[in-house]
Structure formats: structure tokens, C-alpha cells
Amino acid sequence: MRPTHKIGIAMAAVATCATASVVPGMVPGAADGGARRSPSQGQSACPQRWDGGAIGGWVPAPSGLDGAADSLVPGSPVSALICAYPGNTRSGGLAGSRTLTGQATAMAHDLGYLPVGTEGGEIPCTLMAGPATNYLVRFAYPDGRGLWLGSAEEVNSCVTTTNGTALSHVYVGDSLTAAYRTGTWRLDQPERPCPGSLGRRGQNARMVPEGPVKVVVCRIGRHDEPARRTEYGTKQAHELAAALNSVAAGPSRNACHHLRGGSGGRFEVLFGYADGPPASVRVTTACRPSANNGLLEGHLDDSVRDRVVQLAPP
């Protein structure tokens, strides 16, 4: 299970301005048309080697930008330099780079809304062997400052994405590989039985970030059954968000301790916002803790649990 890999609302890319510098054969599928060499020196250059001790978890230097502790990519950068380091090890040589200009704002918008923390949490991972590619992305800002982001594509999808201050366990490796190869940014939307979310900034601090304008409540059936869903407006969204936020919550361990004699259902509660991705809370009434947003978990009392069940489709 990928507890933080949920379906998000991606900002559609509307421009495809990109340049690439690629070492042929190192990253299959990477474009080489219009290539130029990456600069070998200077703050804006790709480091010649990935030098991290963990998959995805390294940047050359943390950013001093305001907001970097609360968002992976704060503000409005004007370009994004993607540096690729393929291989099965956590360190490796530079294979090539691609610079996105027209789509840097959309990329920053999507990545900047991902839920973040300042410490690593417990997430279950599979242990399959397979190819991996580490990435460094340098976002450049109009005033000349920059922000490095480290992430990776790897077969287990258990990757830390970090700007050196904040980190996220939401997996974006496939999206980074596609942007590197094609010059087009699009945040991947993993398939789910009910519309879910990659998560939303602020969910490390509260179960549901403030300001939802609607809520969808899904009842999750067996694997061979489609999820059923009902949608409500702002009033119900605010009331249900307040109820879920009233629950004592702590860091998520993404575990379920089945209650003796417990029965009930599984629900996905999806809060929509005027801008950015939705925030999702998974409710499993036969588990303790019964509510989990991927970063926080807590056990619902009877009144909150019953409210979720009442709003769900039969």
C-alpha cells in the first residue's frame, strides 16, 4: 500500500519550452533534440554526482527562501533545471539535464501544495529490486535566488522528496521522469477506486486544512466493487472538517489495529478547495486508529464516526 499516494488535482501544463542535455543511453527515452551542455560550474549547474545517503533525500544546500519549511517549492520560480542520476545506488554520475521554463510555475504550484513535514515518518515499503534514478531540480527565481529539490524514481515508490528543510513522502518520481524525458510537466494521478488525493499542504498540522468548499464521501467496497460516492457543499464540508479536526491526532504510523468484534466500513472523505489539490482522510471504522490522512492519525469518537457514516452513500 502507498498510504500517501492518492489521486491529486494536477495543474495542466500549457507550455512546452524546454532544453535538454543528455548523455545517450544513460536514461532510456530521454529526448536529445536541441541539446546543449549543462554548465559544469556555478550555483545553477547540476552537480556532477548525486551524493546522498538516502534515495531522493539529498540536496546540495538547503534553501534560505521564506516558506521553504512549509512548502517544497514556495513562490513563483521562472525555470526548473532537472538533473538526472540513474543507477541502482544512492550515488551516481550525472547523465544529463533538462531545463523547463514555460512550465516551471505549474510544476512549482503542484509540488508546493504537497503535504510536508520536517521529520521522516513511518511508511510501509516493499523491497523489490529494480532500476532507480535520483533527481535534483533547481528552481530559479526572478531575483536570482534558487531552491534545490531532491527526489527519485524507484520501483518501490518509497522516496523522500526534500528541499533540504521540509520533506514529503508523496511519490512524484514518475512525473519527474516524464518531465525530464519529454519537457512536459504533469503530476501523475495514480488510479484509486474513489477519487482521492496525493494530499494537501497543511495536513501535517491538522487532519483537514482550513477552507474546504465541498466534500465528497465515498464508501469503499470490495476490490471488485466500484466505490459509491455522495457530494456535499460548503456547509457540510466545514462541519465535517471541524468534526475531524476535533479528534486528538498524532503522527501516522499507517497501521490498523483491528477492534475485537469490530465491524463497519471503509470510507474516503475528500475535501475540495478553490485552489490546489483536495485533502483526503481515510476512515476505517473497525480499526484503531480509525482516521488517517497519511501524515496524521486519530481515533474517532462515536459522534464523528456516525457523522461520516450518515453522509456516506448506503
Side-chain angles (χ1 to χ4, degrees):
M1 181 175 100
R2 301 177 189 170
T4 57
H5 305 174
K6 304 171 185 174
I7 299 172
I9 297 177
M11 174 179 282
V14 295
T16 57
C17 183
T19 59
S21 173
V22 176
V23 177
M26 292 295 290
V27 184
D32 57 4
R36 62 175 177 79
R37 293 185 63 82
S38 298
S40 58
Q41 301 180 36
Q43 185 182 13
S44 61
C46 291
Q48 290 303 301
R49 293 192 64 80
W50 173 272
D51 197 24
I55 295 291
W58 175 72
V59 295
S63 169
L65 290 175
D66 291 341
D70 302 312
S71 172
L72 286 177
V73 189
S76 299
V78 294
S79 66
L81 171 68
I82 305 175
C83 314
Y85 306 84
N88 289 314
T89 63
R90 294 177 180 179
S91 62
L94 176 67
S97 69
R98 180 183 289 276
T99 300
L100 306 183
T101 51
Q103 297 188 53
T105 299
M107 188 177 183
H109 177 277
D110 288 346
L111 296 176
Y113 261 117
L114 295 181
V116 298
T118 55
E119 299 178 351
E122 296 182 26
I123 56 173
C125 296
T126 56
L127 297 173
M128 295 182 289
T133 301
N134 281 296
Y135 290 103
L136 290 173
V137 183
R138 186 182 187 273
F139 290 93
Y141 290 80
D143 61 3
R145 293 187 295 171
L147 175 144
W148 284 104
L149 192 77
S151 192
E153 179 192 22
E154 64 99 30
V155 67
N156 300 288
S157 302
C158 269
V159 171
T160 296
T161 298
T162 180
N163 62 16
T165 302
L167 60 86
S168 178
H169 290 300
V170 174
Y171 182 65
V172 296
D174 293 339
S175 297
L176 287 173
T177 293
Y180 174 73
R181 290 177 175 174
T182 69
T184 299
W185 168 256
R186 179 181 176 84
L187 189 61
D188 250 12
Q189 301 183 19
E191 293 183 3
R192 289 286 299 276
C194 185
S197 169
L198 287 167
R200 184 178 175 89
R201 187 177 64 217
Q203 286 195 280
N204 60 305
R206 59 195 308 180
M207 195 68 70
V208 184
E210 63 182 17
V213 297
K214 64 180 180 180
V215 62
V216 174
V217 183
C218 302
R219 183 184 292 270
I220 309 299
R222 297 191 301 267
H223 292 296
D224 58 346
E225 294 179 341
R228 291 163 287 166
R229 50 180 287 170
T230 51
E231 183 171 335
Y232 302 91
T234 302
K235 179 177 182 295
Q236 291 90 344
H238 286 177
E239 291 175 350
L240 189 53
L244 290 170
N245 284 332
S246 71
V247 175
S252 175
R253 294 169 295 175
N254 293 297
C256 169
H257 302 283
H258 287 279
L259 301 176
R260 179 176 297 180
S263 62
R266 295 184 299 130
F267 307 90
E268 189 90 32
V269 185
L270 187 73
F271 293 88
Y273 294 80
D275 182 51
S280 181
V281 179
R282 174 62 61 94
V283 174
T284 309
T285 58
C287 286
R288 187 178 187 94
S290 51
N292 190 336
N293 72 4
L295 290 170
L296 297 176
E297 63 184 17
H299 193 64
L300 306 182
D301 60 30
D302 290 347
S303 63
V304 179
R305 182 199 62 210
D306 291 346
R307 180 62 174 157
V308 172
V309 175
Q310 288 167 4
L311 291 175

